Amino acid sequence: MSKSSTENVITTTCAAHCGGGCPLKAHVKDGVITRIEADDDSDNTQVRACLRGRSWRQRIYHPDRLKQPMKRVGPRGSGQFEPISWDEALDTIASEIKRIIDTHGPASIVHWVSGGDQGMLHDTWRRMSRLFCMMEGGGYTRPWGLHSYEGGIFAELTCFGMGWTAHTRDDFLNSKLIIMWGWDPATTIQDSNTAWYLAQAKEAGVKIISVDPRFTVSTATFANHWIPIRPGSDTAMLVAMANVMVTENLQDQAFLDKFTVGFDAFKDYILGNEDGVAKTPEWASEITRIPADTIRKLAREYATTKPAALITGIGPGRTAYGEQYHRAAITLAAMTGNIGKPGGSCGGKSWGPHALGRMGSGPKIPPNPVDQTIPNPEGKLPNRNYYIYGYGIINVFRLTDAIIKGKSGGYSADYKLLWITNANPLNQWPNTNKTIEAFNKLDLVVTEEQFMTPTAQYADIVLPSTTFFERADITMGAAVPVFYAYRNKIIEPIDEARTPMDVATELAERLNLEGFNDKTDEEWLDAILEKSTVPDHEAIKKDGIYKIDLPEPNVPFRAQIEDPENNPFYTPSGKIEIYSQTIADMNVPDCPPIPKYIEPWESPNDPLAKKYPLQLITTHTRRRAHTQFDNVPWLRELDPHSIKINVIDAEARGIKDGDLVRVFNDRGTMIIPVKLIETIIPGVVDLPQGAWFDPDENGIDRGGCANVLSIDRPSPGGALPSNTGLVQIEKA
Ligand SMILES: Nc1nc2c(c(=O)[nH]1)N[C@H]1C(S)=C(S)[C@@H](COP(=O)(O)OP(=O)(O)OC[C@H]3O[C@@H](n4cnc5c(=O)[nH]c(N)nc54)[C@H](O)[C@@H]3O)O[C@H]1N2
Ligand SMILES: Nc1nc2c(c(=O)[nH]1)N[C@H]1C(S)=C(S)[C@@H](COP(=O)(O)OP(=O)(O)OC[C@H]3O[C@@H](n4cnc5c(=O)[nH]c(N)nc54)[C@H](O)[C@@H]3O)O[C@H]1N2
Ligand SMILES: [Mo]
């Protein structure tokens, strides 16, 4: 090391897939990152990174980083790969793309991106979409539906006609009561400073109640009460609370009359006028295992404490009929008159973009001919195209089925090529064994990756990708203060890793797509900044961060409530739709026009429960962002992977803490360590999702990948039901 070498400190923002995007300060010496620190801004509110953000160095410089392109030479999953040159990799891919489009049509190409990195230039959805759509006779099949919160999106679009319904977190200080319903932001972040605002609310004396099958970190830290609930039963609890409010005349009838449609139909349902079953707390108690009096008390407290924020997490929405839970919660928020009011909440999903400030976008995407020619049979909700995956063809959770069956199964094409970026679908799509079957059907699977992930193990060509430290980009941070970030390139690409834009550009050259990319990254970023509300472009480049001061908390639908004449809701009726004619017209089975409790499949009442008596939930853990960081030594040491079981269920099976156990159902089997806890309700086990699938020679997963056990059946509203499923556990 030369003596003159100096250390620079460069601010960037984390790319990890939790929604936080927190500032990180990278210390760089001689082209190497030697240390990473969190925000220590002394002038503004700090946005501090979590343990994952601070451990990035162990991910960037991990010995397992992919060093060069790899070609599979043994059977899928065999782990037999050979390094190849970039030229060979890109030549092969280019000729395969041409062949596949010519022979099978553009719909046979499936393009899958997820949240590995959230940069606006290298987010990679745009550039490859542009590439496929610029091809002669091109386009590609795009799935619709989000893993994260499709149930919430469905409910918000149904009730409000739009999906940006979360208040900024600083608004917690205006609440008198906060109900954290299936929500553990101390672990899942979802806007960097969420826990900090909850801590302030607690200190200010705001009452906080948690409704969750687990006694979570957030419950322990912030809540006055914990109400343990059986997974999948939330809608029953919510409609019973509505029953109490109506029976005791606690609802805000003036709000309902002025701002909603269809409350009477819902009232008929909860009072039992419709089906002869009154949805009383006693009725719900059987389903939820919560004492009727507790339900009654919470209903009264929520109805009479104003304003109150019902923060409905998205975990309970990732269940069979999860959309009903979100719709019921929105209905309760309307019944208590908490929508559009400071300190209240919309009852929509707990998380979502805040429409604050504006940013330009990267390369333009021509219209996708495949989207245009094949009608979307599902997901036809008003404004569904709000979201990236707005107007795709196949629900994401049916993709494996679609790939396996193709046209003979009634799908739009026989699928041949799967292009994967920023995603680990073999691990993260439901029903891993079925996903393997689907991968085996494909002619070509390409993944751009940083590691030989489980997905990469089943791909044909693996292209080494840079991390965001090795390229420049722009991101938006979700927090208060809201911020934009200019991520400077901090180090050179590791080994032969290339940036997503470079990969697409070189592929486009081979495909003769003229004009595909006429800018350098810096020019693109300037163009993106040009269309933004960031005032000083040089300053953001230098500082890395531009924080936006909010004069007051952002409260969605404030205008609709304060000046309804001029601001109708975005629904067909212009009101909050408790009854939705759109849903009625769609006529989807088990998707009623008012929110209803529908008994989920694989509930403890299912005959299958005799064989598989335990309900499985697959939570998001602090130890990982999905599959990312699973291989980081610091985090592994912190929290070794295990399935969590209540001591009562463990004793009944002769299982001791730390034992290896067999966890199984008809979809798959794994053998992993068990952890005995008292902080989960009996009958429920928690296997934190995102651990890497690692099958032994008998196909038994030794890695503990939750999706070996999960079901690939979407809820009628499109939600991923990864918290619905039955398993059995025995000592291995
Ligand atoms: N059972 C169960 N399954 C679930 C869930 C659950 O709760 N339970 N949750 C679901 C949810 S909410 C989600 S959002 C999905 C997440 O599913 P994924 O988004 O597929 O999961 P990640 O682990 O974030 O995968 C991101 C991948 O991108 C790679 N990557 C990171 N940065 C870059 C980059 O710059 N370039 C490239 N090319 N690659 C990069 C990482 O190495 C990683 O392998 O999982 C879903 N699956
Ligand atoms: N550390 C970390 N943070 C993350 C992620 C990560 O992988 N790691 N992933 C990010 C992404 S993409 C997403 S989508 C979000 C996911 O964020 P969430 O969906 O909010 O996270 P989960 O842990 O799956 O679920 C939240 C809580 O719901 C509870 N729960 C599960 N099923 C039920 C149920 O049926 N009823 C009730 N009442 N509660 C239930 C769980 O016990 C848990 O405490 O997190 C983001 N943040
Ligand atoms: Mo997600």
Side-chain angles (χ1 to χ4, degrees):
M1 205 189 302
S2 85
K3 263 200 169 156
S4 60
S5 64
T6 49
E7 189 181 75
N8 287 323
V9 182
I10 305 174
T11 299
T12 186
T13 54
C14 187
H17 191 172
C18 73
C22 305
L24 301 174
K25 292 171 66 178
H27 295 238
V28 195
K29 200 169 180 186
D30 298 324
V32 174
I33 299 176
T34 54
R35 184 176 157 80
I36 287 178
E37 288 180 307
D39 191 10
D40 60 358
D41 191 336
S42 50
D43 300 329
N44 302 288
T45 304
Q46 293 175 4
V47 183
R48 293 193 198 157
C50 74
L51 64 178
R52 293 176 302 283
R54 292 168 202 234
S55 72
W56 257 104
R57 243 169 10 101
Q58 291 203 335
R59 202 168 176 276
I60 305 169
Y61 298 115
H62 198 292
D64 296 349
R65 270 291 294 274
L66 285 167
K67 295 179 176 53
Q68 56 220 108
M70 304 289 269
K71 176 170 93 177
R72 184 171 55 79
V73 291
R76 286 205 158 93
S78 64
Q80 294 165 29
F81 283 84
E82 246 173 42
I84 52 172
S85 68
W86 272 102
D87 276 340
E88 184 184 342
L90 294 173
D91 287 345
T92 312
I93 294 168
S95 75
E96 276 296 275
I97 290 179
K98 271 193 228 145
R99 179 189 68 80
I100 287 170
I101 288 190
D102 288 349
T103 325
H104 304 282
S108 64
I109 296 180
V110 180
H111 177 201
W112 180 251
V113 286
S114 187
D117 180 281
Q118 321 256 333
M120 293 192 176
L121 179 59
H122 294 288
D123 76 340
T124 59
W125 170 70
R126 293 190 157 270
R127 48 151 208 148
M128 286 307 292
S129 298
R130 177 171 165 83
L131 184 142
F132 290 131
C133 294
M134 275 178 74
M135 298 275 302
E136 176 89 32
Y140 66 92
T141 288
R142 173 158 46 161
W144 71 270
L146 282 180
H147 287 91
S148 309
Y149 40 61
E150 191 61 35
I153 293 176
F154 181 93
E156 288 171 342
L157 293 179
T158 304
C159 301
F160 299 121
M162 67 88 99
W164 292 358
T165 73
H167 296 206
T168 48
R169 311 299 194 200
D170 47 345
D171 194 42
F172 288 151
L173 292 162
N174 292 321
S175 299
K176 296 264 175 350
L177 169 72
I178 297 170
I179 306 175
M180 304 192 296
W181 199 298
W183 193 49
D184 179 19
T187 301
T188 53
I189 315 293
Q190 304 180 5
D191 293 3
S192 312
N193 275 342
T194 304
W196 187 66
Y197 286 104
L198 278 171
Q200 290 182 68
K202 182 184 163 73
E203 271 174 24
V206 179
K207 186 164 182 187
I208 302 178
I209 296 172
S210 161
V211 183
D212 202 299
R214 300 181 310 140
F215 186 77
T216 61
V217 177
S218 303
T219 310
T221 315
F222 307 120
N224 300 66
H225 294 299
W226 173 40
I227 302 178
I229 189 168
R230 201 176 57 67
S233 70
D234 302 272
T235 311
M237 167 101 170
L238 291 162
V239 299
M241 285 169 66
N243 174 292
V244 174
M245 289 181 198
V246 168
T247 315
E248 302 184 7
N249 201 21
L250 300 174
Q251 77 275 23
D252 185 339
Q253 195 61 47
F255 186 97
L256 289 167
D257 292 344
K258 194 163 173 191
F259 297 111
T260 70
V261 291
F263 180 64
D264 287 344
F266 181 66
K267 201 160 130 184
D268 278 343
Y269 165 69
I270 56 177
L271 294 177
N273 301 339
E274 190 196 289
D275 57 2
V277 182
K279 311 303 177 301
T280 60
E282 284 70 20
W283 166 83
S285 180
E286 293 273 308
I287 302 167
T288 57
R289 298 211 201 115
I290 298 169
D293 279 350
T294 306
I295 300 174
R296 235 176 226 113
K297 192 163 169 250
L298 186 65
R300 288 177 189 144
E301 204 162 0
Y302 180 39
T304 56
T305 316
K306 308 224 179 212
L310 172 59
I311 307 294
T312 25
I314 52 184
R318 282 198 301 282
T319 53
Y321 313 111
E323 56 273 3
Q324 301 303 324
Y325 148 77
H326 285 288
R327 289 199 62 202
I330 293 170
T331 303
L332 277 198
M335 287 175 71
T336 55
N338 273 304
I339 294 170
K341 308 224 174 114
S345 81
C346 302
K349 61 182 158 34
S350 56
W351 189 26
H354 303 296
L356 305 165
R358 193 183 63 246
M359 194 43 89
S361 51
K364 285 218 163 37
I365 305 167
N368 181 352
V370 175
D371 277 354
Q372 289 177 342
T373 52
I374 302 172
N376 176 359
E378 302 164 314
K380 271 193 177 163
L381 283 172
N383 297 338
R384 182 62 184 79
N385 56 4
Y386 236 92
Y387 291 88
I388 293 178
Y389 300 110
Y391 21 72
I393 292 169
I394 306 163
N395 179 281
V396 286
F397 314 116
R398 273 207 252 275
L399 259 183
T400 41
D401 198 61
I403 293 169
I404 292 167
K405 295 183 183 144
K407 282 186 187 155
S408 68
Y411 293 101
S412 57
D414 291 325
Y415 307 96
K416 300 291 172 189
L417 188 158
L418 177 60
W419 184 283
I420 302 163
T421 316
N422 275 338
N424 197 350
L426 192 112
N427 215 80
Q428 293 307 97
W429 285 355
N431 199 345
T432 311
N433 287 314
K434 193 165 166 186
T435 308
I436 292 173
E437 200 187 324
F439 271 52
N440 282 332
K441 278 268 180 179
L442 292 159
D443 287 3
L444 181 68
V445 179
V446 179
T447 184
E448 297 177 89
E449 252 306 343
Q450 294 155 342
F451 293 97
M452 196 41 97
T453 60
T455 300
Q457 293 277 356
Y458 286 80
D460 298 283
I461 296 185
V462 184
L463 302 175
S465 183
T466 50
T467 67
F468 65 93
F469 290 95
E470 300 150 52
R471 61 190 186 228
D473 215 326
I474 289 176
T475 60
M476 179 170 171
V480 178
V482 175
F483 59 93
Y484 284 105
Y486 192 98
R487 285 186 190 150
N488 283 290
K489 177 176 165 183
I490 296 178
I491 51 170
E492 287 305 313
I494 302 283
D495 295 304
E496 289 187 25
R498 288 196 184 171
T499 74
M501 279 302 280
D502 281 353
V503 171
T505 305
E506 295 204 19
L507 204 50
E509 268 166 30
R510 284 169 168 79
L511 293 164
N512 303 318
L513 301 179
E514 229 165 273
F516 176 80
N517 182 8
D518 54 3
K519 292 186 178 59
T520 63
D521 283 6
E522 280 64 31
E523 286 166 351
W524 273 118
L525 297 177
D526 283 342
I528 294 174
L529 276 179
E530 208 48 57
K531 297 218 169 98
S532 76
T533 45
V534 175
D536 186 339
H537 300 177
E538 288 317 306
I540 192 175
K541 287 182 187 177
K542 188 173 138 286
D543 303 339
I545 298 279
Y546 166 65
K547 289 180 180 168
I548 303 170
D549 278 328
L550 295 183
E552 55 184 14
N554 188 48
V555 176
F557 306 125
R558 207 167 171 169
Q560 279 76 1
I561 300 305
E562 289 175 2
D563 181 12
E565 298 303 313
N566 294 309
N567 300 288
F569 282 88
Y570 306 100
T571 52
S573 65
K575 306 232 174 181
I576 300 166
E577 299 201 348
I578 295 172
Y579 178 96
S580 163
Q581 191 57 47
T582 314
I583 304 289
D585 295 344
M586 277 165 64
N587 201 18
V588 175
D590 282 334
C591 198
I594 53 163
K596 283 186 177 174
Y597 173 71
I598 304 171
E599 168 98 18
W601 58 80
E602 298 202 20
S603 85
N605 298 326
D606 192 315
L608 198 65
K610 290 216 164 45
K611 215 166 144 195
Y612 305 122
L614 296 167
Q615 273 188 277
L616 173 72
I617 58 172
T618 60
T619 57
H620 292 232
T621 162
R622 64 180 172 160
R623 143 82 189 281
R624 290 182 288 272
H626 304 287
T627 67
Q628 300 188 68
F629 300 93
D630 195 37
N631 54 3
V632 164
W634 282 346
L635 301 174
R636 293 205 139 208
E637 189 183 320
L638 172 84
D639 187 7
H641 187 53
S642 61
I643 187 160
K644 278 83 180 162
I645 189 170
N646 189 292
V647 285
I648 296 170
D649 294 317
E651 269 166 23
R653 289 166 175 75
I655 291 170
K656 292 198 194 54
D657 193 48
D659 280 351
L660 277 183
V661 291
R662 184 185 307 274
V663 191
F664 59 100
N665 61 20
D666 289 342
R667 291 177 287 272
T669 302
M670 66 180 63
I671 295 179
I672 54 165
V674 69
K675 192 166 169 60
L676 271 52
I677 58 175
E678 291 180 337
T679 50
I680 188 165
I681 64 167
V684 178
V685 289
D686 174 26
L687 177 61
Q689 62 102 25
W692 290 23
F693 178 59
D694 180 18
D696 66 15
E697 60 285 1
N698 301 316
I700 294 172
D701 176 28
R702 301 281 174 160
C705 165
N707 288 311
V708 164
L709 303 162
S710 68
I711 190 167
D712 60 315
R713 172 177 169 187
S715 188
L720 163 71
S722 53
N723 287 323
T724 297
L726 293 170
V727 298
Q728 178 58 299
I729 296 189
E730 59 189 32
K731 216 170 157 207

